Amino acid sequence: MASDYLWFEGIPFPSLGYRIEDLKSVKNEFVVRDGDVITLSFPKSGTNWLREIISLIYSKGDPNWVQSVPIWDRSPWLETEAGYEYLPKKEDPRIYSSHLPIQLFSKSVFHSKAKMIYLLRNPRDVITSGFYFYRILKGCKYPQTFDQYFEWFLQGNVPFGSWFDHCQGWLQMRGKENFLVITYEELHQNLRTSVEKIFQFLGEKLDSEELNSVLKNASFKAMQDNKMSNHTIIPDAFMDHSQGQLLRKGVTGDWKHHFTVAQREAFDKIYREYMTGLPPGLFPWDS
Ligand code: A3P
């Protein structure tokens, strides 16, 4: 069960589906185009929810696309072997996703007009979601206990490294007109307003019927029932489906059922230290 990571420039990657040569090429050769639409996130932030919403915005709420094409083909992962094989040759328009920290992303992004959406989630819930997910996903270290995974997370010894560095790194882009920051908590609190914000940022127009269909088809239940989005068709070589599912609970605040008092205190201390410099009240989970 236990397996170690693939390491690139001090960052751990799953050892299945990733290659050092692709990671080097993404950083040094890949060219971001002005028309690209890129979902950026640390794993377990609700990335698949956002990818589904973006797919549905581009299909004007018509569920046909999300129900017939796997989510990883609708919005491929730039840094995976399969994604990097496909994306550089793909004609416009390109919609894709990445978990890369900013220092490993193509530098061309800094001069591009590509639309980027950076999704964040309360890191305590990111930890909780990751603990369960890395018992399912192969090619990663298998956490035996929550406490063990909690420590790995604080050390940045989880896929894609330190959440704190990822967040601080990408948030340097905050304020650029082609960079939208959105949180999982906002999606939860008001999906309609959040989807409106996203499609306006993308320069798309949806009428109320189309918007209602996006909301309906991006719901937790709809995604859980959609085999093109719920990851159940991923072969057993990559995921141990007997251990659980990607669409696990889909709630905010589940961390409260997992953290001990000591973990709450340890996390708060590190969070405060790392997040200095960001404006207070930036994240819904801080208020
Ligand atoms: P939980 O494990 O807390 O349930 P990612 O896509 O970045 O891997 O994140 C997965 C998390 O997003 C999981 O959280 C999953 O349940 C949640 N998620 C995915 N689709 C969702 C949806 N439509 N509504 C709410 N949460 C969703």
Side-chain angles (χ1 to χ4, degrees):
M1 273 279 195
S3 97
D4 210 340
Y5 300 123
L6 178 75
W7 289 84
F8 178 62
E9 300 204 359
I11 302 291
F13 288 84
S15 58
L16 288 176
Y18 295 80
R19 296 186 305 194
I20 297 290
E21 65 214 74
D22 297 324
L23 297 171
K24 281 187 186 157
S25 300
V26 169
K27 185 179 174 198
N28 301 318
E29 290 162 30
F30 183 72
V31 180
V32 175
R33 300 185 204 141
D34 286 346
D36 291 353
V37 171
I38 317 171
T39 297
L40 299 164
S41 65
F42 192 84
K44 312 322 296 168
S45 303
T47 324
N48 286 286
W49 194 5
L50 179 58
R51 294 161 101 193
E52 195 81 338
I53 290 168
I54 293 173
S55 295
L56 286 160
I57 287 173
Y58 281 107
S59 69
K60 303 275 184 212
D62 181 344
N64 193 39
W65 194 33
V66 299
Q67 289 172 359
S68 58
V69 178
I71 195 162
W72 51 87
D73 287 339
R74 285 183 264 123
S75 182
W77 294 110
L78 173 60
E79 58 270 17
T80 61
E81 189 176 342
Y84 197 72
E85 174 78 33
Y86 170 75
L87 281 168
K89 292 176 266 177
K90 162 101 177 56
E91 287 174 11
D92 292 342
R94 297 191 300 190
I95 299 174
Y96 52 95
S97 309
S98 177
H99 285 320
L100 286 174
I102 195 165
Q103 74 275 14
L104 297 187
F105 205 85
S106 161
K107 281 174 206 52
S108 63
V109 80
F110 298 112
H111 312 288
S112 150
K113 295 194 181 75
K115 298 243 169 55
M116 289 167 266
I117 306 182
Y118 186 48
L119 177 68
L120 279 158
R121 183 182 192 185
N122 186 336
R124 299 164 185 87
D125 280 331
V126 170
I127 295 178
T128 308
S129 182
F131 166 66
Y132 289 101
F133 188 65
Y134 294 119
R135 297 166 76 104
I136 308 172
L137 190 68
K138 297 187 178 171
C140 299
K141 286 207 298 185
Y142 181 95
Q144 298 288 348
T145 63
F146 188 82
D147 194 44
Q148 184 184 41
Y149 185 75
F150 180 84
E151 291 302 324
W152 291 348
F153 188 92
L154 293 188
Q155 295 155 6
N157 196 5
V158 293
F160 299 89
S162 157
W163 179 89
F164 301 97
D165 292 345
H166 200 281
C167 173
Q168 287 276 11
W170 278 111
L171 285 180
Q172 290 166 29
M173 302 283 277
R174 206 161 42 97
K176 291 186 81 159
E177 65 176 20
N178 58 333
F179 190 82
L180 178 72
V181 179
I182 196 141
T183 63
Y184 182 89
E185 288 70 18
E186 271 176 89
L187 295 176
H188 246 281
Q189 202 180 5
N190 196 333
L191 188 59
R192 178 177 296 271
T193 310
S194 304
V195 171
E196 279 170 353
K197 190 165 158 184
I198 296 168
F199 76 67
Q200 281 159 12
F201 171 75
L202 295 174
E204 294 298 307
K205 287 196 173 68
L206 263 68
D207 65 27
S208 62
E209 200 178 316
E210 292 164 346
L211 174 57
N212 285 339
S213 183
V214 173
L215 304 183
K216 179 171 159 222
N217 289 291
S219 72
F220 185 79
K221 179 79 174 68
M223 283 186 66
Q224 215 179 26
D225 291 345
N226 180 1
K227 66 181 190 309
M228 294 295 150
S229 308
N230 64 16
H231 285 47
T232 53
I233 59 171
I234 290 194
D236 293 344
F238 289 90
M239 282 178 94
D240 181 353
H241 298 287
S242 69
Q243 296 278 323
Q245 46 187 338
L246 170 86
L247 283 108
R248 186 184 62 92
K249 275 197 177 173
V251 298
T252 58
D254 194 33
W255 68 273
K256 291 176 191 156
H257 305 120
H258 292 78
F259 279 40
T260 62
V261 173
Q263 285 169 339
R264 282 176 190 230
E265 288 171 2
F267 188 86
D268 287 353
K269 184 167 178 292
I270 291 173
Y271 182 81
R272 269 196 307 274
E273 281 165 16
Y274 266 96
M275 303 311 268
T276 48
L278 289 173
L282 184 63
F283 306 122
W285 54 85
D286 286 340
S287 48

